[in-house]
Amino acid sequence: MTVVDDIKARLDILEVVGQRVPLQRSGRSYKGNCPFHQERTPSFHVFPERQSWRCFGACATGGDAIGFVMRSENLEFGEAIRELARRTGVQLQERRESRVDPTAYEINEAARAYFQRHLASTQGADARAYMEGRGLDRAAADAFQIGLAPSDGESLRSHLIREGFSAAQLVAAGVVREGDDGRQRDLFRGRLMIPIRDSEGRLAGFGGRSLDDSEPKYLNSPQGEVFDKSRILYAMDRARDDIRKNGAVIVEGYMDAIAAHQAGFRNVVASMGTALTGPQVDAIRRMTSEVTMALDQDAAGQQATLRSLESSWQIFQSGVARQSRGTTVFQRRDNPEIKVAAMPPGQDPDEVIRRSPTEWSRLVDNARPLLEFVISAMTVGIDPDRPEGKDGVIRTVYPLIAAEQDGPRQDYYLQMLAQKLNVTRDFLISNYSRPTVAQRQRTGQTKQQPEQQTAETSPFAKLEHDPVEEYCLTLLMRYPDLSEYAETLTAEHFWRHENREIFTGYLSCGEEVAEDAPDNAPPGVQEQLEALRRKSLHPMDFIKRRRAMADVITQLEKRSLRRLKTEEQIRFSESPPDLDTEDLQDTVAVNQRMKEAENRSRNRP
């Protein structure tokens, strides 16, 4: 039994749903008002014998107990599994984290406590005065566990050695640096110390802020398995719930984020001065569709900042089509739109928030779409009546417009660019048009992997597996040329949560998901991926594998429709049935879809 099945076996759907929804018995099912949308007539049904639920109203979705917890508590699959494991007493095995020495986290926590004590001592008076001058109050300093590194370069190392850590462990953790002469010294000296935690709250490293603005102004822990700046957004561990409610606001520096939280704006995270990366964007995209980047207006005109904005736009856009189709029904979001809130000239977010929290709110609320901001910034100083500089701007901006998935928005940006440069929309299209990202994905060819020679696993596999779902995923991961078929599937076609998560990952990453799963893959997903990689397939040429893929998709569709049909029949068994005309139309539509699936199956050569 897998860990997911173990958790499901210990959950009762009536108990799980009943904690949030008042239910009344209705024949073989229980019904109540759907908790996910407003309604007067109950359309939400729970089926105890099937351990499932379904909304027959506006939501038109359903699932099992785990799925209900994910949607009702706004949790990702991994978060839900960990929480439900805690509630049900299921022990989760630690995976892959064993490659990271947990001693590094212990060393960081010991260093953090030491830095905090040093800041509170008489030697921390100047640092405390600096914090007061920056408007950082004591409560915020304590909440973010800010400290001070001694300036002598020896004290922290000596203290941690006395605590029982070895010199080699301190170097590996990154709090001590070994010079070419073999001498070991504290990495951080005389700096305000800001602990940096990952999304799970583990202390991954530090950011050290100089107190006299000497360079480097900020010094981070060295990059490694524990501290990976490309995967961490500062304050994400504190902002997660507020981001889900109010959207994400991204600032550049630690102090900006701390000032925002101190003022009550707890949906703010910091990119730590770098361009957004794919893992950071994925973390945000799973929680919200509302993303605002708060930028110093003076810096916005600099080419480095514009390149950062372009990179962020491309990263967000590159996964929009796949994410919108690939997220599970419990995670589905609107396509994310990233916006820019430009600060007044000469002020950063920290200064704006301290001067006027109301002004900060206004700037964020009135943020401009990122691409609109980039077009305006790139065309500053361009004389619309002269040709100089126009070609470079168009070659930079046009690919960003081409990557826009929404047709009306794409047309709006084309017209905006044409107007700024005093050219026509047709001129832009005819002279700079190129295939969009989606077109390249549809027509792109990738190298096929060698076919395996042994037979497929027997369909009479153990009950904790689903041979049909696994066969579909194996085909997709093994043969890149079948990727177009994934567009006809949704996450709801996969009933097992592990397979649903893998399918979602495939839509985000393509066949790369078959190469390796991330270290933070939810429980059960890593093991399932490894099992799928080990599966073998009959040798199939291009035609045979496309036919096999079409067949398995039909099977998944028919099973999904049969599940829905069975739940409808249970609902119909109520006496008297509480159905209206729209419900009957839905039933007819399901019957028609089942008939079409059967016809496709019979008519396929």
Side-chain angles (χ1 to χ4, degrees):
M1 179 179 289
T2 68
V3 66
V4 178
D5 289 318
D6 193 4
I7 291 173
K8 288 174 65 174
R10 303 187 190 202
L11 295 174
D12 177 57
I13 191 73
L14 279 178
E15 181 180 349
V16 172
V17 176
Q19 293 174 356
R20 289 182 172 269
V21 181
L23 296 171
Q24 294 182 339
R25 190 177 186 93
S26 179
R28 294 161 59 192
S29 66
Y30 289 74
K31 68 180 180 180
N33 287 338
C34 179
F36 308 127
H37 77 278
Q38 295 294 324
E39 63 179 7
R40 294 182 180 179
T41 303
S43 64
F44 184 90
H45 283 246
V46 176
F47 306 97
E49 63 191 60
R50 299 174 60 81
Q51 286 294 298
S52 66
W53 60 271
R54 181 165 294 278
C55 171
F56 290 93
C59 297
T61 58
D64 57 13
I66 295 175
F68 181 83
V69 171
M70 289 171 66
R71 180 152 184 164
S72 62
E73 300 185 22
N74 203 10
L75 298 176
E76 301 167 28
F77 175 66
E79 294 172 322
I81 288 298
R82 293 183 181 92
E83 173 59 23
L84 290 173
R86 183 189 66 78
R87 297 180 194 176
T88 58
V90 173
Q91 187 68 35
L92 297 180
Q93 293 183 351
E94 291 294 327
R95 302 171 295 95
R96 288 202 164 197
E97 293 297 337
S98 58
R99 296 188 305 176
V100 177
D101 186 356
T103 305
Y105 296 114
E106 297 173 13
I107 291 172
N108 286 340
E109 290 288 2
R112 185 266 309 159
Y114 182 77
F115 292 146
Q116 283 190 274
R117 289 195 297 271
H118 190 65
L119 176 63
S121 70
T122 56
Q123 294 173 297
D126 290 342
R128 294 196 298 272
Y130 169 84
M131 291 166 54
E132 184 178 350
R134 292 290 302 261
L136 185 61
D137 62 31
R138 177 66 179 271
D142 289 343
F144 283 88
Q145 301 180 314
I146 295 174
L148 175 67
S151 56
D152 59 16
E154 301 286 345
S155 296
L156 177 65
R157 179 182 181 277
S158 300
H159 168 74
L160 294 177
I161 291 291
R162 290 194 297 271
E163 289 290 306
F165 300 107
S166 69
Q169 287 175 323
L170 301 183
V171 172
V175 296
V176 169
R177 180 167 54 190
E178 185 171 279
D180 294 337
D181 58 358
R183 182 183 179 187
Q184 295 181 350
R185 300 197 68 196
D186 295 346
L187 174 63
F188 301 102
R189 299 187 289 276
R191 290 176 174 269
L192 198 68
M193 298 304 297
I194 303 170
I196 302 173
R197 297 185 180 275
D198 61 23
S199 60
E200 298 181 20
R202 298 172 301 187
L203 184 46
F206 296 92
R209 206 316 181 165
S210 65
L211 298 174
D212 56 3
D213 288 338
S214 59
E215 295 297 332
K217 187 180 295 186
Y218 283 97
L219 178 65
N220 290 322
S221 294
Q223 185 83 356
E225 288 188 346
V226 171
F227 183 74
D228 184 353
K229 193 162 68 170
S230 69
R231 293 182 173 274
I232 297 175
L233 286 164
Y234 179 70
M236 177 61 84
D237 60 308
R238 305 174 64 87
R240 181 186 297 273
D241 291 340
D242 288 88
I243 286 175
R244 287 193 172 111
K245 297 175 185 176
N246 305 312
V249 178
I250 305 172
V251 295
E252 292 188 84
Y254 312 109
M255 301 304 291
D256 295 328
I258 294 172
H261 281 252
Q262 178 178 298
F265 303 106
R266 297 186 175 87
N267 63 330
V268 178
V269 294
S271 62
M272 299 187 285
T274 63
L276 289 179
T277 66
Q280 290 171 335
V281 166
D282 285 342
I284 296 171
R285 183 163 40 203
R286 285 194 295 268
M287 289 182 281
T288 184
S289 61
E290 301 174 14
V291 183
T292 301
M293 297 181 70
L295 298 176
D296 179 347
Q297 195 175 74
D298 291 341
Q302 299 174 5
Q303 290 300 313
T305 301
L306 284 175
R307 284 195 296 270
S308 173
L309 292 176
E310 293 165 20
S311 173
S312 301
W313 171 264
Q314 290 170 325
I315 290 173
F316 266 95
Q317 286 296 314
S318 65
V320 164
R322 292 170 300 190
Q323 282 292 115
S324 62
R325 184 178 288 115
T327 49
T328 69
V329 294
F330 316 107
Q331 298 170 306
R332 186 172 294 135
R333 307 284 181 186
D334 294 332
N335 290 346
E337 180 182 20
I338 186 168
K339 296 183 177 181
V340 173
M343 300 298 102
Q347 298 183 38
D348 57 25
D350 178 14
E351 294 170 311
V352 172
I353 292 170
R354 286 189 285 114
R355 177 176 56 81
S356 174
T358 302
E359 174 71 0
W360 166 261
S361 295
R362 186 188 67 81
L363 291 170
V364 171
D365 291 342
N366 296 329
R368 301 169 66 187
L370 186 147
L371 190 48
E372 182 178 312
F373 181 85
V374 169
I375 292 173
S376 296
M378 288 290 293
T379 53
V380 168
I382 300 294
D383 185 346
D385 296 324
R386 299 182 62 84
E388 288 80 11
K390 292 184 181 181
D391 182 72
V393 171
I394 297 173
R395 291 191 182 279
T396 299
V397 176
Y398 193 91
L400 306 180
I401 298 176
E404 170 60 64
Q405 303 289 324
D406 183 81
R409 286 184 182 177
Q410 186 182 73
D411 185 67
Y412 168 78
Y413 293 132
L414 278 173
Q415 295 189 45
M416 179 182 180
L417 180 61
Q419 184 178 14
K420 292 278 188 182
L421 299 178
N422 196 20
V423 298
T424 67
R425 178 181 177 278
D426 291 340
F427 169 81
L428 294 175
I429 295 175
S430 61
N431 289 277
Y432 296 91
S433 182
R434 63 196 64 184
T436 64
V437 173
Q439 289 170 336
R440 290 197 298 272
Q441 289 171 345
R442 285 196 296 267
T443 60
Q445 297 296 321
T446 54
K447 189 175 295 184
Q448 298 176 6
Q449 297 181 7
E451 297 179 344
Q452 302 296 319
Q453 299 299 317
T454 54
E456 164 65 353
T457 305
S458 166
F460 304 102
K462 293 183 179 180
L463 291 178
E464 64 261 25
H465 296 286
D466 189 313
V468 178
E469 293 182 2
E470 292 176 357
Y471 185 54
C472 177
L473 293 172
T474 304
L475 284 171
L476 286 174
M477 294 192 299
R478 196 69 51 81
Y479 300 113
D481 57 278
L482 297 178
S483 60
E484 64 187 81
Y485 283 88
E487 297 181 5
T488 65
L489 290 168
T490 68
E492 273 202 303
H493 283 99
F494 297 86
W495 186 249
R496 292 196 61 81
H497 287 281
E498 307 96 309
N499 295 333
R500 179 175 291 188
E501 289 294 310
I502 292 171
F503 178 70
T504 299
Y506 173 85
L507 291 175
S508 299
C509 307
E511 63 272 12
E512 294 176 8
V513 74
E515 298 299 324
D516 195 21
D519 291 347
N520 61 348
V525 174
Q526 177 66 44
E527 294 82 354
Q528 181 70 339
L529 259 178
E530 292 172 353
L532 293 178
R533 294 191 196 107
R534 292 193 297 267
K535 281 185 174 294
S536 56
L537 298 174
H538 286 298
M540 289 183 284
D541 60 20
F542 179 77
I543 298 298
K544 288 183 178 179
R545 58 177 174 261
R546 292 175 74 86
R547 185 178 299 156
M549 191 71 214
D551 286 340
V552 77
I553 287 175
T554 298
Q555 291 184 56
L556 289 173
E557 183 179 13
K558 288 165 64 176
R559 292 197 322 177
S560 180
L561 292 172
R562 281 197 293 268
R563 279 196 296 267
L564 179 57
K565 189 68 177 175
T566 300
E567 290 169 347
E568 281 187 341
Q569 290 171 346
I570 296 174
R571 186 186 180 204
F572 280 169
S573 67
E574 299 172 7
S575 180
D578 57 344
L579 303 175
D580 55 26
T581 303
E582 186 175 343
D583 293 322
L584 295 175
Q585 291 174 343
D586 290 341
T587 300
V588 171
V590 171
N591 291 337
Q592 181 63 30
R593 289 168 60 193
M594 291 186 68
K595 184 181 297 184
E596 291 172 354
E598 291 286 354
N599 289 338
R600 285 197 301 271
S601 180
R602 282 197 299 266
N603 296 333
R604 185 170 295 116

Short mmCIF file of all heavy atoms in Angstrom, two decimals, residues 396-438:
data_model
loop_
_atom_site.label_atom_id
_atom_site.label_comp_id
_atom_site.label_asym_id
_atom_site.label_seq_id
_atom_site.Cartn_x
_atom_site.Cartn_y
_atom_site.Cartn_z
N THR A 396 13.78 43.64 -29.49
CA THR A 396 13.73 43.23 -28.09
C THR A 396 12.31 42.96 -27.63
O THR A 396 12.03 41.96 -26.95
CB THR A 396 14.36 44.32 -27.19
OG1 THR A 396 15.72 44.49 -27.55
CG2 THR A 396 14.28 43.92 -25.72
N VAL A 397 11.37 43.83 -28.01
CA VAL A 397 10.02 43.78 -27.48
C VAL A 397 9.11 42.84 -28.27
O VAL A 397 8.25 42.17 -27.68
CB VAL A 397 9.41 45.20 -27.42
CG1 VAL A 397 7.97 45.15 -26.95
CG2 VAL A 397 10.24 46.08 -26.51
N TYR A 398 9.29 42.77 -29.59
CA TYR A 398 8.36 41.99 -30.42
C TYR A 398 8.27 40.52 -29.99
O TYR A 398 7.16 39.96 -29.92
CB TYR A 398 8.72 42.10 -31.91
CG TYR A 398 7.62 41.58 -32.80
CD1 TYR A 398 6.64 42.44 -33.29
CD2 TYR A 398 7.53 40.24 -33.14
CE1 TYR A 398 5.60 41.97 -34.10
CE2 TYR A 398 6.51 39.76 -33.94
CZ TYR A 398 5.55 40.63 -34.41
OH TYR A 398 4.54 40.17 -35.20
N PRO A 399 9.38 39.84 -29.69
CA PRO A 399 9.26 38.44 -29.23
C PRO A 399 8.43 38.30 -27.96
O PRO A 399 7.76 37.29 -27.75
CB PRO A 399 10.72 38.01 -29.01
CG PRO A 399 11.52 38.92 -29.89
CD PRO A 399 10.81 40.23 -29.86
N LEU A 400 8.48 39.33 -27.09
CA LEU A 400 7.68 39.27 -25.88
C LEU A 400 6.20 39.37 -26.21
O LEU A 400 5.37 38.68 -25.61
CB LEU A 400 8.08 40.41 -24.92
CG LEU A 400 9.57 40.51 -24.56
CD1 LEU A 400 9.79 41.68 -23.61
CD2 LEU A 400 10.04 39.21 -23.92
N ILE A 401 5.88 40.23 -27.16
CA ILE A 401 4.48 40.35 -27.59
C ILE A 401 4.02 39.06 -28.27
O ILE A 401 2.91 38.59 -28.07
CB ILE A 401 4.32 41.56 -28.54
CG1 ILE A 401 4.69 42.86 -27.82
CG2 ILE A 401 2.89 41.63 -29.06
CD1 ILE A 401 4.65 44.08 -28.71
N ALA A 402 4.89 38.47 -29.09
CA ALA A 402 4.54 37.23 -29.79
C ALA A 402 4.28 36.09 -28.81
O ALA A 402 3.52 35.17 -29.10
CB ALA A 402 5.65 36.86 -30.76
N ALA A 403 4.94 36.15 -27.64
CA ALA A 403 4.76 35.08 -26.65
C ALA A 403 3.47 35.23 -25.86
O ALA A 403 3.07 34.30 -25.16
CB ALA A 403 5.95 35.06 -25.69
N GLU A 404 2.82 36.39 -25.96
CA GLU A 404 1.56 36.60 -25.26
C GLU A 404 0.50 35.63 -25.80
O GLU A 404 0.25 35.57 -27.01
CB GLU A 404 1.10 38.05 -25.45
CG GLU A 404 -0.31 38.33 -24.97
CD GLU A 404 -0.50 38.06 -23.50
OE1 GLU A 404 0.14 38.74 -22.68
OE2 GLU A 404 -1.28 37.13 -23.18
N GLN A 405 -0.12 34.86 -24.90
CA GLN A 405 -1.06 33.83 -25.31
C GLN A 405 -2.47 34.36 -25.57
O GLN A 405 -3.24 33.74 -26.28
CB GLN A 405 -1.14 32.74 -24.22
CG GLN A 405 0.19 32.11 -23.89
CD GLN A 405 0.71 31.22 -25.00
OE1 GLN A 405 -0.07 30.56 -25.67
NE2 GLN A 405 2.01 31.19 -25.21
N ASP A 406 -2.80 35.51 -24.97
CA ASP A 406 -4.13 36.06 -25.12
C ASP A 406 -4.19 36.97 -26.34
O ASP A 406 -3.46 37.98 -26.41
CB ASP A 406 -4.51 36.83 -23.86
CG ASP A 406 -5.93 37.38 -23.91
OD1 ASP A 406 -6.86 36.61 -23.65
OD2 ASP A 406 -6.10 38.58 -24.24
N GLY A 407 -5.05 36.63 -27.33
CA GLY A 407 -5.09 37.37 -28.59
C GLY A 407 -5.39 38.84 -28.44
O GLY A 407 -4.66 39.69 -28.97
N PRO A 408 -6.46 39.24 -27.72
CA PRO A 408 -6.75 40.67 -27.57
C PRO A 408 -5.62 41.45 -26.91
O PRO A 408 -5.33 42.58 -27.30
CB PRO A 408 -8.02 40.67 -26.71
CG PRO A 408 -8.68 39.37 -27.02
CD PRO A 408 -7.55 38.40 -27.20
N ARG A 409 -4.99 40.85 -25.91
CA ARG A 409 -3.86 41.54 -25.26
C ARG A 409 -2.70 41.68 -26.23
O ARG A 409 -2.02 42.72 -26.27
CB ARG A 409 -3.41 40.76 -24.02
CG ARG A 409 -4.35 40.88 -22.84
CD ARG A 409 -3.79 40.17 -21.65
NE ARG A 409 -4.71 40.22 -20.51
CZ ARG A 409 -4.48 39.62 -19.36
NH1 ARG A 409 -3.37 38.92 -19.19
NH2 ARG A 409 -5.35 39.71 -18.38
N GLN A 410 -2.42 40.63 -27.00
CA GLN A 410 -1.34 40.70 -27.95
C GLN A 410 -1.59 41.83 -28.96
O GLN A 410 -0.66 42.60 -29.27
CB GLN A 410 -1.20 39.36 -28.69
CG GLN A 410 -0.01 39.30 -29.62
CD GLN A 410 0.05 37.97 -30.36
OE1 GLN A 410 -0.75 37.74 -31.27
NE2 GLN A 410 0.97 37.10 -29.96
N ASP A 411 -2.81 41.96 -29.43
CA ASP A 411 -3.14 43.02 -30.37
C ASP A 411 -2.99 44.39 -29.72
O ASP A 411 -2.50 45.34 -30.34
CB ASP A 411 -4.56 42.84 -30.88
CG ASP A 411 -4.92 43.84 -31.96
OD1 ASP A 411 -4.34 43.75 -33.06
OD2 ASP A 411 -5.77 44.72 -31.71
N TYR A 412 -3.39 44.50 -28.45
CA TYR A 412 -3.26 45.77 -27.72
C TYR A 412 -1.80 46.20 -27.63
O TYR A 412 -1.46 47.36 -27.85
CB TYR A 412 -3.86 45.62 -26.32
CG TYR A 412 -3.54 46.77 -25.39
CD1 TYR A 412 -4.21 47.98 -25.49
CD2 TYR A 412 -2.55 46.63 -24.42
CE1 TYR A 412 -3.91 49.04 -24.63
CE2 TYR A 412 -2.24 47.67 -23.56
CZ TYR A 412 -2.93 48.88 -23.67
OH TYR A 412 -2.62 49.91 -22.82
N TYR A 413 -0.91 45.24 -27.30
CA TYR A 413 0.51 45.58 -27.16
C TYR A 413 1.14 45.91 -28.51
O TYR A 413 2.02 46.77 -28.59
CB TYR A 413 1.25 44.43 -26.48
CG TYR A 413 0.85 44.21 -25.04
CD1 TYR A 413 0.54 42.94 -24.56
CD2 TYR A 413 0.77 45.28 -24.16
CE1 TYR A 413 0.16 42.75 -23.24
CE2 TYR A 413 0.38 45.10 -22.84
CZ TYR A 413 0.07 43.82 -22.39
OH TYR A 413 -0.30 43.64 -21.09
N LEU A 414 0.70 45.22 -29.56
CA LEU A 414 1.21 45.56 -30.89
C LEU A 414 0.85 47.00 -31.26
O LEU A 414 1.68 47.76 -31.77
CB LEU A 414 0.63 44.60 -31.93
CG LEU A 414 1.30 43.23 -32.08
CD1 LEU A 414 0.48 42.36 -33.02
CD2 LEU A 414 2.72 43.39 -32.60
N GLN A 415 -0.40 47.36 -31.00
CA GLN A 415 -0.82 48.72 -31.32
C GLN A 415 -0.10 49.74 -30.45
O GLN A 415 0.26 50.83 -30.92
CB GLN A 415 -2.33 48.84 -31.16
CG GLN A 415 -3.12 47.99 -32.16
CD GLN A 415 -4.60 48.30 -32.12
OE1 GLN A 415 -5.00 49.45 -32.10
NE2 GLN A 415 -5.42 47.26 -32.12
N MET A 416 0.14 49.39 -29.19
CA MET A 416 0.84 50.30 -28.30
C MET A 416 2.27 50.54 -28.78
O MET A 416 2.75 51.68 -28.84
CB MET A 416 0.86 49.72 -26.88
CG MET A 416 1.60 50.60 -25.87
SD MET A 416 1.63 49.83 -24.23
CE MET A 416 2.54 51.09 -23.33
N LEU A 417 2.97 49.46 -29.17
CA LEU A 417 4.34 49.60 -29.66
C LEU A 417 4.37 50.39 -30.96
O LEU A 417 5.24 51.26 -31.15
CB LEU A 417 4.95 48.21 -29.87
CG LEU A 417 6.40 48.17 -30.39
CD1 LEU A 417 7.35 48.87 -29.43
CD2 LEU A 417 6.84 46.73 -30.64
N ALA A 418 3.43 50.10 -31.84
CA ALA A 418 3.38 50.82 -33.12
C ALA A 418 3.16 52.32 -32.88
O ALA A 418 3.80 53.16 -33.53
CB ALA A 418 2.26 50.25 -33.99
N GLN A 419 2.29 52.66 -31.96
CA GLN A 419 2.01 54.06 -31.68
C GLN A 419 3.23 54.75 -31.07
O GLN A 419 3.56 55.89 -31.43
CB GLN A 419 0.81 54.18 -30.75
CG GLN A 419 0.37 55.61 -30.47
CD GLN A 419 -0.85 55.66 -29.58
OE1 GLN A 419 -1.23 54.67 -28.96
NE2 GLN A 419 -1.48 56.82 -29.51
N LYS A 420 3.91 54.07 -30.14
CA LYS A 420 5.09 54.67 -29.49
C LYS A 420 6.18 54.96 -30.50
O LYS A 420 6.93 55.94 -30.35
CB LYS A 420 5.63 53.72 -28.42
CG LYS A 420 4.72 53.53 -27.21
CD LYS A 420 4.87 54.65 -26.22
CE LYS A 420 4.11 54.35 -24.93
NZ LYS A 420 4.21 55.48 -23.97
N LEU A 421 6.31 54.12 -31.52
CA LEU A 421 7.40 54.26 -32.49
C LEU A 421 6.94 54.90 -33.79
O LEU A 421 7.73 55.03 -34.73
CB LEU A 421 8.01 52.89 -32.77
CG LEU A 421 8.64 52.17 -31.57
CD1 LEU A 421 9.17 50.81 -31.97
CD2 LEU A 421 9.76 53.01 -30.96
N ASN A 422 5.67 55.26 -33.85
CA ASN A 422 5.13 55.92 -35.05
C ASN A 422 5.32 55.04 -36.30
O ASN A 422 5.77 55.50 -37.34
CB ASN A 422 5.77 57.29 -35.26
CG ASN A 422 4.99 58.15 -36.24
OD1 ASN A 422 3.80 57.89 -36.48
ND2 ASN A 422 5.65 59.13 -36.83
N VAL A 423 4.97 53.76 -36.14
CA VAL A 423 4.95 52.84 -37.28
C VAL A 423 3.58 52.18 -37.29
O VAL A 423 2.78 52.39 -36.38
CB VAL A 423 6.06 51.77 -37.19
CG1 VAL A 423 7.44 52.41 -37.21
CG2 VAL A 423 5.89 50.91 -35.93
N THR A 424 3.30 51.38 -38.28
CA THR A 424 2.01 50.71 -38.34
C THR A 424 2.09 49.31 -37.74
O THR A 424 3.17 48.69 -37.70
CB THR A 424 1.50 50.60 -39.79
OG1 THR A 424 2.36 49.72 -40.52
CG2 THR A 424 1.47 51.97 -40.45
N ARG A 425 0.94 48.82 -37.31
CA ARG A 425 0.87 47.46 -36.79
C ARG A 425 1.26 46.45 -37.86
O ARG A 425 1.97 45.48 -37.58
CB ARG A 425 -0.56 47.20 -36.29
CG ARG A 425 -0.83 45.81 -35.76
CD ARG A 425 -2.29 45.71 -35.33
NE ARG A 425 -2.62 44.38 -34.88
CZ ARG A 425 -2.93 43.37 -35.66
NH1 ARG A 425 -2.92 43.54 -36.99
NH2 ARG A 425 -3.24 42.19 -35.16
N ASP A 426 0.80 46.68 -39.09
CA ASP A 426 1.13 45.77 -40.19
C ASP A 426 2.62 45.75 -40.47
O ASP A 426 3.19 44.70 -40.83
CB ASP A 426 0.37 46.18 -41.46
CG ASP A 426 -1.12 45.93 -41.34
OD1 ASP A 426 -1.51 45.13 -40.47
OD2 ASP A 426 -1.89 46.55 -42.10
N PHE A 427 3.28 46.90 -40.30
CA PHE A 427 4.74 46.96 -40.49
C PHE A 427 5.44 46.04 -39.48
O PHE A 427 6.38 45.30 -39.84
CB PHE A 427 5.23 48.40 -40.32
CG PHE A 427 6.73 48.52 -40.23
CD1 PHE A 427 7.52 48.52 -41.37
CD2 PHE A 427 7.35 48.62 -38.98
CE1 PHE A 427 8.90 48.64 -41.28
CE2 PHE A 427 8.73 48.73 -38.89
CZ PHE A 427 9.51 48.74 -40.04
N LEU A 428 5.00 46.07 -38.25
CA LEU A 428 5.61 45.22 -37.23
C LEU A 428 5.44 43.75 -37.57
O LEU A 428 6.39 42.96 -37.50
CB LEU A 428 4.99 45.51 -35.86
CG LEU A 428 5.25 46.89 -35.25
CD1 LEU A 428 4.47 47.04 -33.95
CD2 LEU A 428 6.74 47.09 -34.99
N ILE A 429 4.23 43.38 -37.94
CA ILE A 429 3.95 41.97 -38.21
C ILE A 429 4.70 41.48 -39.44
O ILE A 429 5.30 40.39 -39.43
CB ILE A 429 2.43 41.76 -38.39
CG1 ILE A 429 1.71 42.06 -37.07
CG2 ILE A 429 2.13 40.34 -38.86
CD1 ILE A 429 0.21 41.99 -37.17
N SER A 430 4.70 42.27 -40.50
CA SER A 430 5.31 41.82 -41.75
C SER A 430 6.82 41.77 -41.68
O SER A 430 7.46 40.96 -42.35
CB SER A 430 4.87 42.74 -42.90
OG SER A 430 5.30 44.07 -42.66
N ASN A 431 7.44 42.63 -40.87
CA ASN A 431 8.90 42.70 -40.83
C ASN A 431 9.54 41.97 -39.65
O ASN A 431 10.73 41.65 -39.70
CB ASN A 431 9.36 44.16 -40.80
CG ASN A 431 9.14 44.87 -42.12
OD1 ASN A 431 9.94 44.77 -43.03
ND2 ASN A 431 8.02 45.58 -42.22
N TYR A 432 8.78 41.70 -38.59
CA TYR A 432 9.38 41.11 -37.40
C TYR A 432 8.66 39.87 -36.91
O TYR A 432 9.01 39.31 -35.87
CB TYR A 432 9.42 42.14 -36.26
CG TYR A 432 10.30 43.32 -36.56
CD1 TYR A 432 9.78 44.46 -37.17
CD2 TYR A 432 11.66 43.29 -36.26
CE1 TYR A 432 10.59 45.55 -37.46
CE2 TYR A 432 12.47 44.38 -36.54
CZ TYR A 432 11.94 45.50 -37.14
OH TYR A 432 12.75 46.57 -37.44
N SER A 433 7.63 39.42 -37.66
CA SER A 433 6.86 38.28 -37.21
C SER A 433 7.71 37.02 -37.19
O SER A 433 8.54 36.79 -38.05
CB SER A 433 5.65 38.06 -38.12
OG SER A 433 4.89 36.98 -37.66
N ARG A 434 7.46 36.20 -36.18
CA ARG A 434 8.13 34.91 -36.06
C ARG A 434 7.20 33.97 -35.30
O ARG A 434 6.27 34.44 -34.65
CB ARG A 434 9.46 35.04 -35.33
CG ARG A 434 9.32 35.52 -33.89
CD ARG A 434 10.63 35.99 -33.34
NE ARG A 434 11.09 37.16 -34.06
CZ ARG A 434 12.27 37.74 -33.81
NH1 ARG A 434 13.09 37.23 -32.92
NH2 ARG A 434 12.64 38.81 -34.49
N PRO A 435 7.41 32.67 -35.37
CA PRO A 435 6.51 31.73 -34.70
C PRO A 435 6.43 32.01 -33.20
O PRO A 435 7.43 32.37 -32.57
CB PRO A 435 7.14 30.35 -34.97
CG PRO A 435 7.98 30.57 -36.19
CD PRO A 435 8.47 31.98 -36.11
N THR A 436 5.25 31.87 -32.66
CA THR A 436 5.07 32.04 -31.23
C THR A 436 5.61 30.81 -30.50
O THR A 436 5.90 29.77 -31.09
CB THR A 436 3.59 32.20 -30.87
OG1 THR A 436 2.92 30.99 -31.21
CG2 THR A 436 2.98 33.37 -31.61
N VAL A 437 5.71 30.93 -29.19
CA VAL A 437 6.17 29.81 -28.38
C VAL A 437 5.26 28.60 -28.58
O VAL A 437 5.71 27.48 -28.74
CB VAL A 437 6.19 30.23 -26.89
CG1 VAL A 437 6.48 29.02 -26.01
CG2 VAL A 437 7.24 31.31 -26.65
N ALA A 438 3.95 28.86 -28.58
CA ALA A 438 3.01 27.74 -28.73
C ALA A 438 3.17 27.05 -30.08
O ALA A 438 3.12 25.83 -30.18
CB ALA A 438 1.57 28.25 -28.58
#
